[in-house]
Amino acid sequence: MSSPSPRRSRSFHRSATTAASAALAGVLLAACGSGTGGGSDAASDGPVHIKVWAWYPQFKPVVDEFNRTHKNIKVDWVQAGVGQDEYTKLKTALKAGTGAPDVVMLEFQELPTIQVSKGLLDISKYGANEDKGKYVDWAWKQVSDGDHVYAIPVDGGPMAMMYREDLFKKYKLKVPTTWAEFKEEAAKLRAADPKAYLTDFGSDETAAGWLQGLMWQAGSRPYTYAPSKLPNIGVKLNDAGAKKVYDYWGDLIKNKLVDTSSYATTDFYNGLTSGKYATYIAAGWGPGYLQSVAKKTAGKWRVAPLPQWTKGGNDQGDWGGSTFAVTSQTKHPKEATQVAREIFGESEAAWKVGIDQAYLFPTVNSVLNGPYFQNKKYEFFGGQQVNKVFVPAANNIGTFDWSPFQDYAYNTQTTLVGKAIRGALPWSSVADTLHEQVTS
């Protein structure tokens, strides 16, 4: 599951992240590739056991299916923590030289941070490049660098707009297709009901990926990063797309047209249930998340495409997504790569669990564009086939690079956005200030 969802809690320690970013500078100068893996592939008595760290919901049936269908390899699954908790343990183990799993679940934005410290294998030498055409292009490019492959994609988070159909009918709102129309409907709703908002602006660290996804849609490309190009990393956090998004949402906030409750709070969950929020701008994993936190609203929600900056446009963004990577400590790189490739891969049985029980949004083309996923009806959304909205979005997402200091950038952004919300920093200064602080 994509952990940028509000289920993930990101610790916010500025001193620690500042120190980490300083230490990273030295790492970047020395880093020029991944490790080569320890041990050998020599056969031993019985199947090879591969330790996997992952926090996907309902992952046990997926592991059981892999173990049932593979005679010579067995997965030993460990839930080592969600998101940052797992990453902290992984970094500690990699630094110590022992204790890391063979295969680890990593979000897209975390791959450069782990790879740059030589914590990941280049699994292209074990057949991973054979999977290149099986995945949506943008997802594959996030795990690869030319012919080098550092992970296998699993799920993603193409963005769309979930909305309360009953509230739209009650207040005679039009489903907006552009961000200009979104603002108009926000004002109309506030005039009709001062206690209601068209949506909530994610103001805390758990929503950093949400804001980045909206910037992605707006054409922002803050980083130019590839392991083969180190130590060169392009950084431009104040490009036109980023400024457009800050200015737009800053205007809505200043005019009290959207709320600013933190996503991972009771107030936010209550807002989704009570009708305080008429829309929730979320990702492909959102249907399952919304169903879990707003059960009483079943049947009232629908899904529409993400509003566009230009009428008739088709620009998309992504919020979230995860992969399986092989760590440099594995003693069985060939078998570990096979696990990363096949534990989900194109397995219909595994993906039935992933779709129906874990609400993962597949990045593998055969499942993403297959009839089971596209035609699936969601009773929570009044029987709507919501993936007919999300799948076209997923197929039109543009490429995007992450940085090896993503946590620091996100935490710094959260601090500056918080100041802008409080009026302590002009919205027009957020992008430039963020760029200055991160690059320095």
Side-chain angles (χ1 to χ4, degrees), residues 371-419:
Y372 181 77
F373 186 62
Q374 289 215 36
N375 297 332
K376 181 177 174 60
K377 295 181 179 179
Y378 292 76
E379 294 307 313
F380 186 83
F381 291 86
Q384 182 185 2
Q385 295 170 311
V386 303
N387 293 325
K388 289 187 179 295
V389 176
F390 283 112
V391 170
N395 285 324
N396 283 283
I397 292 174
T399 57
F400 191 91
D401 292 341
W402 299 100
S403 74
F405 40 83
Q406 197 60 49
D407 282 349
Y408 176 73
Y410 270 172
N411 288 337
T412 305
Q413 173 188 271
T414 300
T415 299
L416 297 176
V417 166
K419 288 183 177 180

Side-chain angles (χ1 to χ4, degrees), residues 264-416:
T265 62
T266 301
D267 285 346
F268 175 69
Y269 303 145
N270 289 341
L272 293 173
T273 301
S274 67
K276 179 180 179 180
Y277 305 136
T279 75
Y280 174 37
I281 298 168
W285 44 261
Y289 169 72
L290 188 60
Q291 182 174 314
S292 69
V293 301
K295 295 178 181 178
K296 295 180 180 179
T297 61
K300 298 179 179 179
W301 291 86
R302 300 292 184 271
V303 178
L306 197 64
Q308 296 291 312
W309 289 102
T310 304
K311 192 171 185 63
N314 189 24
D315 297 316
Q316 308 297 336
D318 181 85
W319 177 20
S322 56
T323 71
F324 275 126
V326 177
T327 76
S328 55
Q329 288 185 15
T330 184
K331 295 182 179 179
H332 306 284
K334 180 180 178 181
E335 290 84 357
T337 299
Q338 186 175 351
V339 169
R341 293 175 63 191
E342 297 179 8
I343 195 164
F344 276 102
E346 295 183 294
S347 168
E348 291 183 6
W351 271 112
K352 194 170 190 307
V353 175
I355 292 167
D356 294 346
Q357 299 182 45
Y359 298 101
L360 301 184
F361 190 93
T363 57
V364 62
N365 285 315
S366 61
V367 179
L368 173 69
N369 297 302
Y372 181 77
F373 186 62
Q374 289 215 36
N375 297 332
K376 181 177 174 60
K377 295 181 179 179
Y378 292 76
E379 294 307 313
F380 186 83
F381 291 86
Q384 182 185 2
Q385 295 170 311
V386 303
N387 293 325
K388 289 187 179 295
V389 176
F390 283 112
V391 170
N395 285 324
N396 283 283
I397 292 174
T399 57
F400 191 91
D401 292 341
W402 299 100
S403 74
F405 40 83
Q406 197 60 49
D407 282 349
Y408 176 73
Y410 270 172
N411 288 337
T412 305
Q413 173 188 271
T414 300
T415 299
L416 297 176

Side-chain angles (χ1 to χ4, degrees), residues 106-275:
L106 294 174
E107 295 164 277
F108 287 122
Q109 75 270 12
E110 290 293 331
L111 285 170
T113 301
I114 305 301
Q115 188 280 330
V116 79
S117 63
K118 300 185 179 182
L120 303 181
L121 286 188
D122 174 5
I123 55 177
S124 63
K125 61 188 72 174
Y126 304 106
N129 253 326
E130 297 172 13
D131 293 346
K132 180 177 181 179
K134 296 179 180 179
Y135 292 86
V136 288
D137 183 63
W138 67 268
W140 188 258
K141 286 180 177 176
Q142 293 213 1
V143 302
S144 62
D145 178 19
D147 291 333
H148 302 284
V149 182
Y150 296 100
I152 299 296
V154 179
D155 71 316
M159 299 181 75
M161 185 184 72
M162 304 178 199
Y163 68 97
R164 284 278 298 269
E165 186 180 51
D166 58 329
L167 297 179
F168 269 63
K169 288 181 178 178
K170 178 180 178 180
Y171 295 111
K172 296 181 174 57
L173 302 177
K174 181 178 73 171
V175 178
T177 60
T178 67
W179 288 115
E181 292 175 355
F182 189 89
K183 180 180 178 180
E184 292 172 1
E185 299 308 305
K188 187 186 301 182
L189 177 59
R190 290 290 286 161
D193 184 354
K195 295 182 180 180
Y197 294 92
L198 193 59
T199 201
D200 182 52
F201 174 86
S203 59
D204 62 304
E205 62 270 22
T206 63
W210 173 85
L211 189 56
Q212 188 69 79
L214 293 178
M215 292 178 181
W216 189 334
Q217 185 213 21
S220 176
R221 296 295 184 269
Y223 309 106
T224 304
Y225 170 81
S228 60
K229 303 295 185 183
L230 286 172
N232 297 318
I233 300 175
V235 184
K236 191 167 180 59
L237 291 156
N238 56 349
D239 60 17
K243 288 187 174 182
K244 179 192 291 186
V245 172
Y246 286 127
D247 289 345
Y248 177 83
W249 288 95
D251 177 66
L252 294 182
I253 291 168
K254 285 187 291 185
N255 288 288
K256 296 181 170 50
L257 297 182
V258 296
D259 196 21
T260 56
S261 294
S262 295
Y263 272 4
T265 62
T266 301
D267 285 346
F268 175 69
Y269 303 145
N270 289 341
L272 293 173
T273 301
S274 67

